Amino acid sequence: MTDLVLREVVVDGRLVDVRASGGAIAEIGRRLAARPGDDEVDGRRGALIPGLHDHHIHLVALAAADRSPFVGPPVVNDAAQLTTVLHQSDAALGEGEWLRAIGYHESVAGPIDRWRLDSLVPDRPVRVQHRAGGAWVLNSRGLALVGVDASTDRTGVERDGDGRPTGRLLGLDRWLRERLPPHPVPDLAAVGRRLTSYGVTGVTDATPAGAIDDLLPLAEAAARGALPQHVVATGGPGLAAVELPSPLGRGPVKLVIEDYAVPPPATVVRWMRAARDAGRPVAVHCVTRDCLRVALDAWREVGVMPGDRIEHGSVVPPDLRAVVAGMGLAVVTQPGFVLERGDRYLASVDPEDLPHLYPCRSLIEAGIPVGGSTDAPYGHPDPWRDVAAAIERRTSSGAPLGLREAVSPERALALFLTPLDAPGGTPRRVEVGAAADLCLLDGPLSSVLEDPSSRRVALTVIGGVAR
Ligand SMILES: [Zn+2]
């Protein structure tokens, strides 16, 4: 493997050259001597920073999202837009193909059920995923194809007062997938290229996968280099004790406390124990006050271990903040939701919760490690949008949302610079011995942070290789 030499780059304010060798930074200094076979890049005096880490993303869903319309804000904000997007997708698909839409939330265009979907797209099977994940709504054709009818006896198949299935299927992802035609193979190479263009060199895939088959496409794409990023995967409690396929890193076990179907506390405790039996920490999805309380109660019973974290922490009021800090838990937040979903939050969230929505600064000040993520495809996959949102705390219409939770530009960027196994820990640095996972910007860091944007990424280096 040839060495990569980045000439004339700015590291921590100093103009230097950086040599990467064998996947690590080997040398940093002024005018490093050239060696035969070096791969040289002119850094044009741009800032060189560690590559960004997205601490919570869903890679396969992101690959699929390129083919499946997104029917939530900011794309779809009312019933007319929902109709338009579904009709467009309907017209683009071949005969009999499933129309799969994601990201729905009833607050934008009202509740949907099979009959409403039938009125929008009657002639092909349709399935629409609720934005929280875990809940699907099918039209009548879709229900017939997966074998749901009045006689279906299964928890999660919602029924109306007359016992008819409404089309809503809750917590039946896996069951549903077994009844659907095989997905076209997700184009993870396209996802890899996209993340590379943002300067992302590592991610945690936070999908609560229930079967090892769900993780194989990731491992395969990572192994053949189609997905050049370092990938740590969580999987769900069912995979807690399972060895993940190489080269995936083993992250915490993902536990989902759904706000619309809060599991009994004993279940959460059982999940946590399954993770502990396998020696693994947990990453717990918590988007409401009540979910957070259930999670914290379970932690009290099972105990906390290093690496335990709260995903989203969408509502963390002061009393619970103190508990989270005292327990030593990290929070992985999505500042981009303030931008993308903030207007809807302002219209629909309990006013009591608004000041504590997607907190950032108050958590950091309380000593809680805070890591950043996009949650793509449920948020936009570009982490620089999240950096900007963490600084500005404004919704897409420009309304302020929790200005007191805004952080400095440097702190906002640091949310994405922490190690994959310690989100919110000490930000990585460009130094000798560190992994050569780097992001070269097209100007000084101070100028990039004035208006953070992935357009300023000039080059991404992963494992010492320029991508
Ligand atoms: Zn997620």
Side-chain angles (χ1 to χ4, degrees), residues 335-365:
F337 286 177
V338 171
L339 172 74
E340 294 173 12
R341 306 183 183 182
D343 288 314
R344 188 164 50 79
Y345 293 150
L346 286 171
S348 64
V349 166
D350 185 339
E352 205 194 332
D353 284 342
L354 274 179
H356 314 301
L357 210 54
Y358 282 93
C360 193
R361 183 182 182 148
S362 64
L363 301 184
I364 292 168
E365 286 178 350

Side-chain angles (χ1 to χ4, degrees), residues 56 58 254 312 375 378:
H56 177 140
H58 305 276
K254 175 79 176 290
H312 312 300
D375 200 15
Y378 307 108

Side-chain angles (χ1 to χ4, degrees), residues 209-228:
I212 204 72
D213 289 2
D214 300 341
L215 296 173
L216 289 177
L218 288 186
E220 188 271 332
R224 70 184 162 89
L227 194 59

